[in-house]
Amino acid sequence: MKLKLNGVILDNDTATIYRYFGLDAISPKLISLTIDKLAEGEELEIDLNSPGGYCSAGAAIYSMLKAASAAGHEVIINVIGEACSAATVVMCGADTVKGSRASTYMFHNASLHGASGKSRDMRSYAQSLEETDESIINVYEERTGKTRDELHELIDAETWMNVNRAIEYGFVDEIYLCHQE
């Protein structure tokens, strides 16, 4: 089965609102519904183009893709544009990741926008972000085989890569050869 994923990675409710207004959105529910339709042993091929989005939704999608793979479905992700932020976690859920020659990738620390509160609230937010970073590193470490220190340097620097560098780092397996049907 082929699935085209474009847009921001959002929770299910927010994605519903985006779609109501005709905006592209990727959500865990969309992935779940697609996986549920797969025949036994059927391959799932995803064309991905996303600037990222919510860490929790990206983590849920990653976990669903890993579960689909464990259940006997080959999961292939073709990065046809960009895979940034939470989308890099999603792509790590695939058995095989292919990147277009024009694709770009961005890796960074988790962030929180619009936080407010007292100093203890800010410390709690900071701890939450640090734990999220560690979860992201868990995913990247499994995918690339790089050390945790190397991966922390990568996300601390907000690193952008082209497909060739993404292959060198182990995030992408091969060049996606786009062809007309």
Side-chain angles (χ1 to χ4, degrees):
M1 178 178 291
K2 183 89 169 197
L3 178 63
K4 296 180 185 293
L5 296 179
N6 290 293
V8 181
I9 299 169
L10 301 167
D11 65 85
N12 296 326
D13 294 338
T14 306
T16 300
I17 295 167
Y18 267 59
R19 288 189 199 103
Y20 177 82
F21 288 105
L23 303 172
D24 289 332
I26 301 166
S27 67
K29 183 176 182 180
L30 174 63
I31 303 306
S32 178
L33 292 171
T34 301
I35 291 171
D36 288 347
K37 292 178 186 173
L38 293 174
E40 186 175 328
E42 184 178 2
E43 177 183 279
L44 174 59
E45 185 174 2
I46 298 169
D47 286 349
L48 177 64
N49 181 36
S50 174
Y54 295 1
C55 293
S56 58
I61 293 169
Y62 162 85
S63 297
M64 288 178 203
L65 295 176
K66 294 300 264 185
S69 176
H73 302 286
E74 178 76 15
V75 179
I76 300 167
I77 290 185
N78 306 313
V79 180
I80 60 169
E82 65 180 350
C84 300
S85 190
T88 62
V89 173
V90 169
M91 78 177 188
C92 288
D95 298 304
T96 304
V97 178
K98 301 177 184 182
S100 159
R101 292 195 186 279
S103 60
T104 55
Y105 308 81
M106 190 271 287
F107 307 86
H108 69 104
N109 289 306
S111 60
L112 179 67
H113 302 281
S116 63
K118 297 177 178 40
S119 61
R120 81 172 154 264
D121 298 327
M122 295 301 119
R123 283 190 290 276
S124 176
Y125 293 147
Q127 181 185 10
S128 171
L129 290 172
E130 290 166 356
E131 291 301 323
T132 300
D133 288 344
E134 291 303 316
S135 294
I136 292 167
I137 293 293
N138 290 341
V139 169
Y140 292 168
E141 183 181 37
E142 178 184 59
R143 174 79 192 159
T144 67
K146 299 282 185 195
T147 67
R148 295 185 78 78
D149 287 341
E150 289 173 304
L151 295 166
H152 272 289
E153 286 178 24
L154 181 85
I155 66 172
D156 288 345
E158 188 173 300
T159 305
W160 287 83
M161 295 182 186
N162 64 46
V163 71
N164 296 323
R165 263 185 82 200
I167 290 171
E168 288 173 22
Y169 270 79
F171 287 105
V172 174
D173 298 302
E174 61 188 79
I175 300 291
Y176 174 57
L177 301 176
C178 309
H179 56 83
Q180 296 182 0
E181 298 181 32

